[in-house]
Amino acid sequence: MFDVHVHIPDENLFEALGERVMEASLKYFRADVRRMGFREAEEDLLAQGVKHYALLPVPSRSFDAAKLNRVVHTYVSSSNIAVGLAAVDPSREPGEQIREALKMGLKGLKLHPNLQFVYPNDPRLRRVYESIDEAGGVVLVHTGTSGIGGGLRGGGGFKLDYSRPIWVDEVAAEYPNTSFILAHFGWPWVSEAIAISLQKANVYLDLSGWSPKYIPQEVWSYTNTLLQDRVLAGSDYPFIKPRRWLEEFSRIPLRDDVREKVLHLNAERLFRP
């Protein structure tokens, strides 16, 4: 499995979410997560069937992007199986932040609109997309609902409209050399996410954050046909365990060649050296 959606449950993850939101998120996912360092987490991933993975930072509304990106770079530099994405703070020269991250060898951007209170088509991100487009990089965007703040009154203050897939459509059109990944396939705006992916060859869907048996049939139907080259396996580790994801995925009725594309071939092509 090439898992395109992995977080390391270190102090950075716990600090980014905060105790109250983290507790609600674990309850939402029914997950048992403990803090662990990078090396221990990678060994855990390997034991669960992950052969390669994309390491994603967890940004917040106000954070030190350069510091977090250095952490991601340090982790992936010591790994033979990981690629890393960067985070930017739209309010603090994000163009400079992403240029430095790309120079370090990170593959693009992880954007979390809910956590960052920013729309993907926010003008402040233009310089970011320009740099990634020039590099032919990747932008992975959280889309759809979120387990972060799930179950709290007011959803913890996080607003879902920021993460509608349609806000990615504009920038995917304007930056065709960038590959945009719609994380979590945009539920409940699934048809919207699929429509954008069908219309734009530089838009992908990732299947993370969901137990495969609960993923809507509409997603599987397009995975098995028109979108077979642009659907990516992902767990959302540590909230969902790759072992569980793989076990349930094995029972989804897909063609064998499509299954291999989803599990690793599509991601290998996308994150090519």
Side-chain angles (χ1 to χ4, degrees), residues 81-98:
I81 63 171
V83 296
L85 295 182
V88 299
D89 181 347
S91 67
R92 301 179 184 177
E93 300 181 358
E96 181 177 334
Q97 296 165 19
I98 198 64

Side-chain angles (χ1 to χ4, degrees), residues 48-70:
Q48 294 191 52
V50 174
K51 303 295 178 60
H52 294 91
Y53 67 96
L55 195 163
L56 312 182
V58 178
S60 55
R61 192 167 192 176
S62 179
F63 69 109
D64 188 337
K67 178 182 177 181
L68 184 57
N69 293 340
R70 286 194 296 271

Side-chain angles (χ1 to χ4, degrees), residues 66-235:
K67 178 182 177 181
L68 184 57
N69 293 340
R70 286 194 296 271
V71 170
V72 174
H73 174 254
T74 298
Y75 286 169
V76 299
S77 294
S78 65
S79 172
N80 294 321
I81 63 171
V83 296
L85 295 182
V88 299
D89 181 347
S91 67
R92 301 179 184 177
E93 300 181 358
E96 181 177 334
Q97 296 165 19
I98 198 64
R99 285 191 294 272
E100 288 303 311
L102 292 173
K103 286 179 184 177
M104 288 191 292
L106 300 185
K107 299 296 185 180
L109 173 70
K110 161 64 187 298
L111 188 69
H112 201 304
N114 305 97
L115 276 179
Q116 297 185 271
F117 293 79
V118 63
Y119 288 100
N121 60 350
D122 190 304
R124 294 174 296 174
L125 294 171
R126 297 294 171 174
R127 297 286 187 184
V128 175
Y129 295 139
E130 287 170 4
S131 294
I132 296 174
D133 202 59
E134 184 178 348
V138 173
V139 176
L140 188 149
V141 185
H142 174 98
T143 60
T145 191
S146 177
I148 296 175
L152 294 176
R153 293 182 66 84
F158 301 113
K159 302 173 183 178
L160 297 183
D161 187 62
Y162 285 113
S163 60
R164 279 191 61 181
I166 196 62
W167 305 126
V168 180
D169 182 66
E170 177 184 344
V171 291
E174 294 182 7
Y175 302 99
N177 293 323
T178 300
S179 297
F180 290 86
I181 302 173
L182 305 181
H184 322 305
F185 52 86
W187 188 91
W189 300 286
V190 177
S191 295
E192 187 172 282
I194 288 173
I196 296 167
S197 301
L198 288 171
Q199 205 269 333
K200 292 177 171 64
N202 58 323
V203 176
Y204 295 69
L205 303 178
D206 100 15
L207 303 176
S208 70
W210 282 68
S211 171
K213 67 182 178 182
Y214 295 125
I215 292 176
Q217 181 56 44
E218 183 180 12
V219 174
W220 294 127
S221 294
Y222 281 98
T223 296
N224 216 22
T225 54
L226 297 176
L227 289 178
Q228 61 184 275
D229 295 318
R230 282 182 286 119
V231 176
L232 307 165
S235 63

